[in-house]
Amino acid sequence: MLRGSMTPHTEAVCAEGPIKPGMLVSVDSAGRFVPHPTAAGRVAARFARENSIVGKGIDDNYVQGDTVLAWHTRPGDWVYALLEEGSNVANGAILESNGAGLLQPVTGSFGIARALEAVNSTGGPAAGTRIRVEIIT
């Protein structure tokens, strides 16, 4: 979280599979965090955060069985999220879920964030390129 109310928005749930801080996450039917699985779908703006409690940073992934910490964001909050590889977005572009926990330029009706900077992730890491965003939903 770059800007916003941090204290009431954390939650700890066991992860299934690798989750990187900055990923958009949702809760599966077993009550575990997973990367948000629906491209362009409705989603609560919930992002995995670094596990600073045990000295981990934003580049340290959670693995299956770890307890994941996440921000439950509100409109106006700023997040250091992850943009899918191959995207080229302008400052102010509206972004949505890509169906794998990353953000992509909006293709549907459910944008959740606005880019606060221009980022070109063409040729970037498959696990996503960092981007500063403002939550809009």
Side-chain angles (χ1 to χ4, degrees), residues 9 11 13 22-28 32-34 36 43-49 69-73 79 101 112 135:
H9 301 113
E11 181 177 334
V13 177
M23 280 185 134
L24 182 62
V25 294
S26 60
V27 179
D28 69 8
R32 301 172 296 193
F33 273 139
V34 294
H36 183 259
V43 59
R46 185 180 306 148
F47 291 85
R49 59 162 284 197
L69 304 177
W71 300 118
H72 297 258
T73 61
V79 175
I112 62 165
I135 303 305

Side-chain angles (χ1 to χ4, degrees), residues 8-133:
H9 301 113
T10 58
E11 181 177 334
V13 177
C14 293
E16 179 183 85
I19 293 178
K20 185 172 191 155
M23 280 185 134
L24 182 62
V25 294
S26 60
V27 179
D28 69 8
S29 60
R32 301 172 296 193
F33 273 139
V34 294
H36 183 259
T38 308
R42 287 189 183 269
V43 59
R46 185 180 306 148
F47 291 85
R49 59 162 284 197
E50 75 283 0
N51 194 350
S52 58
I53 294 169
V54 295
K56 303 270 180 147
I58 63 172
D59 293 319
D60 296 313
N61 291 349
Y62 292 97
V63 295
Q64 187 169 2
D66 285 351
T67 297
V68 175
L69 304 177
W71 300 118
H72 297 258
T73 61
R74 300 178 184 168
D77 288 347
W78 291 11
V79 175
Y80 205 27
L82 293 165
L83 183 66
E84 74 175 356
E85 190 274 327
S87 294
N88 186 3
V89 300
N91 187 355
I94 304 301
L95 305 170
E96 66 186 6
S97 173
N98 79 338
L102 308 178
L103 299 179
Q104 68 182 9
V106 72
T107 60
S109 303
F110 304 114
I112 62 165
R114 180 180 63 85
L116 294 173
E117 60 187 340
V119 173
N120 184 349
S121 67
T122 303
T129 299
R130 298 263 172 213
I131 184 171
R132 289 170 180 81
V133 300

